[in-house]
Amino acid sequence: MSNLKTISTLFLNHGSNVSTIMLGRLSGLQKLRCIFTKCWDDCNSFPELSCLSRLESLKVCFSGKVHSPSKFSFPANLKKLMLSSFQLPWNEISAIGRFPNLEVLKLLDRAFEEQQWEMNEGEFQNLKFLKLDLLNIITWIVSSKHLPSLEQIVLHSCKHLQESLQVLEKFQH
């Protein structure tokens, strides 16, 4: 299984030894699309994916609610990441923002749940594409210095978002 490069629609149960063992055997995996299942009431961490050191593209969906605090366990060398339905607080996104190779980030269907996202300096330095879709965000505190490599933003169904003029200004030139 170490030669396998892509897996789609893999169901991973949190806390399952079978999932952990199986993922450990997928060392050559480059693209993964998976669904996290099971409510994490007693343990607030994501399934361990950092063992997938060659993983470049990850799409993860979850139905339920992750209870804070939660810790991402994704490989730091990801280039593309899509998260959907996690309902995480925005302060959890800092872990993702430190991924040095991240170029594409899609946050869909209440991936993050709170009303304000304040970006921190030094995060998302190589991000080229950002999609925010079906989020309940109202305030996004960001400027062009936070996203120096950004080429495209897609905002869809973020009905309450007050536009951040500083970022949008960058794309008018």
Side-chain angles (χ1 to χ4, degrees):
M1 288 180 48
S2 63
N3 294 329
L4 198 59
K5 304 269 186 239
T6 302
I7 294 180
S8 290
T9 320
L10 179 67
F11 286 83
L12 297 174
N13 286 326
H14 172 69
S16 168
N17 288 335
V18 174
S19 293
T20 303
I21 292 167
M22 182 186 64
L23 288 171
R25 294 182 181 164
L26 299 172
S27 58
L29 201 61
Q30 294 174 349
K31 293 174 86 176
L32 175 61
R33 180 177 179 214
C34 61
I35 298 170
F36 289 170
T37 60
K38 189 177 177 183
C39 188
W40 301 330
D41 290 328
D42 55 341
C43 183
N44 295 317
S45 63
F46 291 90
E48 178 66 43
L49 298 179
S50 60
C51 62
L52 303 174
S53 60
R54 295 186 183 157
L55 195 65
E56 294 182 358
S57 177
L58 177 61
K59 295 181 179 183
V60 185
C61 297
F62 179 72
S63 65
K65 183 168 175 131
V66 179
H67 301 283
S68 291
S70 54
K71 301 295 177 207
F72 288 109
S73 180
F74 299 152
N77 59 312
L78 284 176
K79 291 183 180 179
K80 298 178 181 180
L81 178 62
M82 188 273 308
L83 294 176
S84 177
S85 304
F86 281 93
Q87 301 176 35
L88 293 166
W90 281 105
N91 63 0
E92 296 292 332
I93 202 163
S94 291
I96 294 169
R98 290 188 291 271
F99 293 168
N101 301 323
L102 191 64
E103 295 178 354
V104 175
L105 178 61
K106 298 177 183 179
L107 304 175
L108 315 175
D109 193 18
R110 296 172 37 194
F112 290 83
E113 189 60 19
E114 293 175 339
Q115 297 179 349
Q116 180 174 304
W117 176 14
E118 184 171 356
M119 295 190 84
N120 298 315
E121 280 194 50
E123 297 174 347
F124 301 105
Q125 293 299 295
N126 294 310
L127 196 66
K128 295 178 181 177
F129 178 89
L130 175 63
K131 181 175 183 176
L132 305 178
D133 189 354
L134 274 171
L135 301 176
N136 291 328
I137 188 171
I138 293 174
T139 306
W140 182 20
I141 301 170
V142 61
S143 72
S144 58
K145 69 179 179 178
H146 289 122
L147 300 163
S149 302
L150 197 63
E151 297 171 2
Q152 185 176 5
I153 298 175
V154 176
L155 300 174
H156 186 263
S157 296
C158 298
K159 298 174 187 174
H160 306 291
L161 180 63
Q162 299 167 1
E163 291 181 3
S164 176
L165 298 177
Q166 293 172 335
V167 169
L168 298 177
E169 210 173 81
K170 175 182 176 183
F171 295 100
Q172 293 176 354
H173 300 290

